[in-house]
């Protein structure tokens, strides 16, 4: 399969092929992911297996470097697939995944269906209702665990 542009709810998404070249550094991200999407897509969906294992080891700084490139170029990055083994091996990665999934630039999702659901427009409030719906996505939940479990990375 080759990389292709699809549209989910009016949002153009570059869906990267799982069998494409490995992204092992920030320059790879620029060349393989951002360059291909910059003028044609708002979101780049990257299969987790395309990312070098160092991406998931936060002590290397690779994840931060690549994620920052996406933010700088005003593109959203979505890591697709099962990353549970990386989550179990790290004390910091579950926190990064949970916090990223609360935001709007970087998401870790299990599959394209989850991405399509995430890109779906929020339901419009009833005209007679109380007004705009305020999201609590950035409000910490006192009952929430301090860390995401490996099975809860889809946010």
């Amino acid at each position: 399969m080759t990389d292709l542009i699809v549209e989910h709810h009016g949002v153009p998404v570059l869906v990267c092929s799982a069998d494409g070249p490995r992204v092992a550094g920030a320059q790879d991200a620029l060349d393989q992911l951002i360059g291909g999407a910059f003028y044609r897509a708002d979101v780049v969906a990257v299969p987790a297996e395309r990312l070098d294992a160092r991406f998931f080891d936060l002590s290397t700084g690779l994840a931060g470097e690549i994620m920052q490139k996406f933010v700088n170029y005003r593109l959203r990055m979505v890591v697709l697939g099962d990353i549970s083994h990386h989550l179990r091996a790290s004390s910091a990665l579950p926190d990064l995944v949970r916090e990223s999934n609360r935001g709007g630039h970087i998401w870790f999702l299990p599959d394209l269906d989850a991405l399509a659901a995430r890109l779906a427009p929020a339901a419009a409030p009833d005209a007679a209702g109380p007004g705009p719906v305020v999201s609590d996505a950035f409000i910490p939940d006192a009952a929430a665990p301090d860390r995401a479990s490996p099975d809860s990375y889809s946010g």
Side-chain angles (χ1 to χ4, degrees):
M1 178 178 134
T2 67
D3 296 353
L4 58 118
I5 302 280
V6 299
E7 196 169 291
H8 291 292
H9 305 286
V11 179
V13 177
L14 173 64
V15 178
C16 297
S17 171
D19 58 0
R22 182 164 296 276
V23 177
Q27 190 61 50
D28 291 339
L30 285 169
D31 295 343
Q32 300 170 31
L33 308 175
I34 294 172
F38 192 66
Y39 293 106
R40 303 177 297 157
D42 295 336
V43 177
V44 178
V46 184
E49 58 266 27
R50 284 273 304 265
L51 298 170
D52 190 88
R54 293 177 305 123
F55 179 89
F56 300 100
D57 176 359
L58 300 185
S59 68
T60 68
L62 183 59
E65 192 176 357
I66 290 174
M67 290 165 48
Q68 188 61 51
K69 294 288 183 199
F70 276 87
V71 171
N72 290 349
Y73 284 92
R74 294 185 175 99
L75 289 168
R76 289 182 273 182
M77 176 185 187
V78 179
V79 176
L80 291 176
D82 181 8
I83 62 167
S84 58
H85 62 286
H86 294 294
L87 292 167
R88 285 190 297 272
S90 173
S91 61
L93 184 60
D95 293 332
L96 174 73
V97 168
R98 187 181 67 249
E99 292 302 317
S100 294
N101 283 347
R102 288 182 178 171
H105 287 92
I106 310 293
W107 298 332
F108 293 80
L109 301 173
D111 53 39
L112 286 173
D113 290 337
L115 174 57
R118 189 80 186 251
L119 292 173
D126 184 345
V133 176
V134 178
S135 170
D136 64 351
F138 295 101
I139 301 171
D141 182 356
D146 288 338
R147 292 190 32 207
S149 72
D151 299 324
S152 66
Y153 70 90
S154 63

